[in-house]
Amino acid sequence: MTSIFDTIKSIAFEIDHAIKTADLGYSQSENSSGEEQLKLDVQSDIIIEKAFASVSMVKDLVSEEKEGVMLLNPEGKYTICYDPLDGSSLVDVNLSVGSIFGIYEGELRASNLVASAYVVYGPRIELVVATQGQKPLLYRANNQEFKEIAPITLQSKGKLNAPGGTQQNWSASHKGFVDGLFSQGYRLRYSGGMVPDLHQILLKGGGIFSYPDTSDKPHGKLRQLFEVIPFAFIYEQAGGEAIDNKGVRLMELIPAHPHDTSPCFFGSSYEVSQLKKAYGIQH
Ligand code: AHG
Ligand code: MN
Ligand code: MN
């Protein structure tokens, strides 16, 4: 697994360089979710594909920017599902973006995720790596090298609320939940990039990030294999919780298709209990 994490570290520097120097325009194509692709989305995808091609333990790749599974090394053990550039529409306003990696062994379902990682491209580059049975580890880049900083532990109650989706399209129970948190003094923190938004909650000790089912997106927006499951694993490893709109752990998801989405909630245990109450979910 070390060679996978080392590869993610070198990918982080390459993508960071591309973000800082590449053309910010659109490509001529759409991805599998029907979203317009930026040239940077495509470039980041190619950087990742090339980097893993020489890592023999990686069997195949599934990218947010490509349809289907891409076979790399038939003898390999792991499938890496990744979002090459999360929040890419924020690059032109110079906000933080990220890359997300889920490392699966066997069939592509949450219970087969063995490790996950994400990179934040902000004022500095940071990396969080989570493996089974350990707190997620934070690394920070300095002089083109990642230095281990600290394990991440989520408090049982925080102060931040990051509610995604178009408010007009929220359900009454979701609106009640969000209003309820604000009336308890929670502060709004939402940039529109799930990587920096979830990273902020993790590092500031707690809170909740939600991307619910909405009237325009009844299955949510965020994709299970590359976005939802990798972060669900990280939040659980940090001592938090990650559930869907029915109260089912996101770590029990079984995607029918690589680009399937799910409503998702990641947070500290107090905020998740508030969510369950507002949604009428039995504990
Ligand atoms: P991507 O750039 O990979 O398509 O992902 C963007 C995602 C995620 O980062 C963010 O939380 C969400 O879209 C924001 O969506 P809304 O603007 O609908 O809240
Ligand atoms: Mn994304
Ligand atoms: Mn993306």
Side-chain angles (χ1 to χ4, degrees):
M1 202 81 89
T2 315
S3 60
I4 293 179
F5 298 135
D6 286 345
T7 306
I8 290 174
K9 288 175 184 168
S10 70
I11 286 169
F13 291 117
E14 271 195 76
I15 293 183
D16 184 67
H17 180 74
I19 293 167
K20 292 190 164 73
T21 54
D23 183 338
L24 297 183
Y26 282 97
S27 70
Q28 298 300 319
S29 46
E30 281 187 351
N31 68 14
S32 301
S33 304
E35 298 161 340
E36 278 188 296
Q37 284 175 310
L38 287 169
K39 288 182 193 167
L40 253 183
D41 287 316
V42 178
Q43 201 175 330
S44 305
D45 187 29
I46 294 169
I47 288 171
I48 294 174
E49 186 188 309
K50 282 195 180 147
F52 283 122
S54 55
V55 183
S56 58
M57 65 172 62
V58 179
K59 184 174 177 222
D60 39 30
L61 299 177
V62 182
S63 167
E64 182 186 87
E65 302 302 338
K66 279 199 284 282
E67 189 64 50
V69 180
M70 184 186 180
L71 182 67
L72 284 184
N73 303 297
E75 308 301 317
K77 189 169 169 192
Y78 302 110
T79 300
I80 301 186
C81 298
Y82 63 97
D83 179 353
L85 200 56
D86 176 74
S88 54
S89 66
L90 300 173
V91 173
D92 64 355
V93 290
N94 207 17
L95 285 180
S96 296
V97 292
S99 299
I100 312 167
F101 303 87
I103 301 153
Y104 298 81
E105 188 178 343
E107 215 182 305
L108 296 177
R109 50 163 74 197
S111 57
N112 284 340
L113 185 110
V114 293
S116 65
Y118 66 85
V119 180
V120 192
Y121 309 101
R124 298 191 180 194
I125 312 174
E126 291 189 334
L127 165 71
V128 172
V129 172
T131 50
Q132 256 143 359
Q134 285 187 333
K135 293 282 180 205
L137 274 176
L138 171 69
Y139 296 82
R140 189 170 295 140
N142 199 342
N143 289 326
Q144 296 296 109
E145 254 180 61
F146 278 100
K147 294 217 168 65
E148 188 178 315
I149 304 294
I152 299 174
T153 302
L154 206 56
Q155 308 298 312
S156 58
K157 185 176 187 298
K159 294 184 178 137
L160 306 183
N161 186 16
T166 308
Q167 298 190 22
Q168 199 183 17
N169 302 327
W170 285 352
S171 65
S173 46
H174 190 68
K175 187 171 165 19
F177 162 65
V178 173
D179 290 348
L181 287 184
F182 285 133
S183 66
Q184 293 175 50
Y186 281 77
R187 301 207 222 138
L188 175 67
R189 292 289 184 272
Y190 193 76
S191 74
M194 74 180 300
V195 172
D197 288 336
L198 284 162
H199 188 60
Q200 181 169 198
I201 290 170
L202 282 170
L203 296 197
K204 298 283 190 193
I208 191 160
F209 173 99
S210 46
Y211 206 106
D213 50 307
T214 55
S215 56
D216 58 332
K217 292 188 174 86
H219 302 290
K221 174 182 183 186
L222 299 175
R223 285 142 289 218
Q224 299 180 22
L225 285 175
F226 338 102
E227 296 175 317
V228 173
I229 298 168
F231 268 111
F233 183 73
I234 290 168
Y235 265 64
E236 286 195 352
Q237 295 293 120
E241 294 182 42
I243 60 168
D244 71 4
N245 55 332
K246 306 273 187 296
V248 178
R249 281 175 67 233
L250 297 168
M251 287 310 294
E252 291 175 19
L253 283 173
I254 304 177
H257 181 274
H259 295 267
D260 278 356
T261 61
S262 171
C264 53
F265 306 88
F266 309 87
S268 303
S269 47
Y270 173 76
E271 288 80 352
V272 172
S273 72
Q274 293 286 293
L275 175 85
K276 288 180 177 168
K277 215 186 269 179
Y279 273 59
I281 296 166
Q282 304 298 320
H283 288 264

